[in-house]
Amino acid sequence: MRQVFLDTETTGLDPAQGHRIIEIACIEVVQRRFTRHDFFKRLDPERDIDEGAVQVHGITRESLAGSPRFAEVADEFIAYAEGAELFIHNAPFDVGFLDSELQRAGKPPVASFARVTDTLAMARELHPGRKNTLDALCDRYGIDRSARTFHGALLDAELLADVYLAMTRGQDSLAIGLEETAGDAAVEPASRPRPGQLKVLRASKDERVRHAELVEHLNEASGGRALWSRLDAGA
C-alpha cells in the first residue's frame, strides 16, 4: 500500500464554525523511499483567516488570491489519495476539515477511499508521558526543522515523513531489505556444511561497540521492542 504523509493549513480551528482549508500537501513514500510524486495545493477559502491562524502559518487571504477553491481540486485529491494509507499527525483535526470540504463539494468522506493512521497516537505509544508534537519529535530523532519558522503544509508533511521513517527504523526496513534482495528469484535451501568446513568470524571490539550503539538506538525507536536487546540479554 502506498504511504502518503498529509498535512493541512486552515483559516481557524473548527470546520463546524465554517473554517476552511487553505493548504493541503501530500508526500508519497513507497518502500521507505520518497517518490517525489507529491500533491500540493494552495486554496481560496472564500472567507477571512483568523488572526491567530495567520500568526501560526503566516498565510494571508491576499496571498491566496487566484488560488482554486477546494471543490475545483477535490476530484484530483481523491484520485491521488485513493487506496493509500494516509499518515496524519493528530489525524482527527485534518480529517475533520477534509471531510467538511469533501461534503461541501458533494464528495465522499476520506475513510471511503483511503486508510488513515494517526502518527500522534503512534508517537504517544512509543514515547508515553513525553511531548510528541512534530517539533518535539524532530528534535528527538535529530531531524533538521530549522526551516520551520512558520507552519506550512508541504514542509510539515515532509518533516512528518522523516519522523515516521525514524520512528520505524529497524523494523519495516528489515523486511523491505529482504524483499528487495530476494526479488522474484526462487530460494534454494542451503546445504549443511561438513564438520570443519564452517569458518567462525569473531566480531572485533570496535564492531561490538558499534553493534551495541545500534541496538540501543533501535530499542529507543521501537519503544523497547527491538529483538536484538532480548537476544543479547540471553547470550
Side-chain angles (χ1 to χ4, degrees):
M1 179 180 288
R2 292 166 59 230
Q3 295 179 322
V4 172
F5 296 83
L6 181 149
D7 190 61
T8 64
E9 298 300 336
T10 64
T11 64
L13 296 176
D14 189 357
Q17 295 181 8
H19 285 292
R20 307 287 299 274
I21 293 176
I22 56 176
E23 276 192 349
I24 179 171
C26 299
I27 302 296
E28 183 184 67
V29 173
V30 175
Q31 292 189 340
R32 300 182 70 82
R33 291 181 174 85
F34 290 87
T35 67
R36 297 307 171 194
H37 172 50
D38 304 328
F39 179 93
F40 175 65
K41 299 291 181 183
R42 301 193 90 193
L43 303 168
D44 177 2
E46 305 176 271
R47 60 156 291 155
D48 291 336
I49 303 173
D50 283 4
E51 182 58 35
V54 174
Q55 292 176 6
V56 171
H57 50 57
I59 303 170
T60 62
R61 177 80 184 273
E62 292 73 27
S63 70
L64 298 171
S67 299
R69 294 171 296 174
F70 184 92
E72 297 174 65
V73 304
D75 287 335
E76 186 180 355
F77 167 68
I78 292 171
Y80 178 88
E82 190 167 15
E85 182 174 11
L86 301 180
F87 290 84
I88 309 173
H89 208 62
N90 191 19
F93 178 87
D94 297 85
V95 172
F97 270 95
L98 287 167
D99 283 348
S100 177
E101 294 283 7
L102 289 164
Q103 182 181 35
R104 187 179 284 109
K107 306 297 180 181
V110 170
S112 69
F113 56 81
R115 173 182 169 185
V116 175
T117 295
D118 188 353
T119 53
L120 178 58
M122 288 180 58
R124 284 171 173 167
E125 183 178 346
L126 283 173
H127 308 291
R130 301 181 70 180
K131 194 173 183 180
N132 288 299
T133 63
L134 188 56
D135 281 342
L137 290 168
C138 285
D139 292 344
R140 190 168 301 148
Y141 289 104
I143 295 166
D144 181 12
R145 60 178 180 89
S146 58
R148 199 184 189 223
T149 53
F150 284 105
H151 289 218
L154 187 59
L155 175 60
D156 287 1
E158 290 175 342
L159 290 174
L160 180 60
D162 287 334
V163 163
Y164 172 82
L165 293 174
M167 283 199 301
T168 57
R169 185 183 297 132
Q171 304 298 317
D172 294 345
S173 58
L174 292 176
I176 289 168
L178 290 173
E179 289 171 5
E180 292 174 345
T181 302
D184 296 326
V187 178
E188 298 293 337
S191 58
R192 184 183 296 274
R194 293 191 298 273
Q197 199 176 33
L198 184 64
K199 294 183 178 179
V200 178
L201 299 178
R202 304 290 182 185
S204 67
K205 180 179 179 181
D206 181 60
E207 288 171 332
R208 291 196 299 272
V209 169
R210 283 188 284 132
H211 169 73
E213 290 173 348
L214 175 61
V215 170
E216 183 179 355
H217 177 77
L218 291 176
N219 209 37
E220 180 180 351
S222 64
R225 293 180 295 196
L227 294 177
W228 273 112
S229 296
R230 281 175 267 173
L231 292 172
D232 286 353

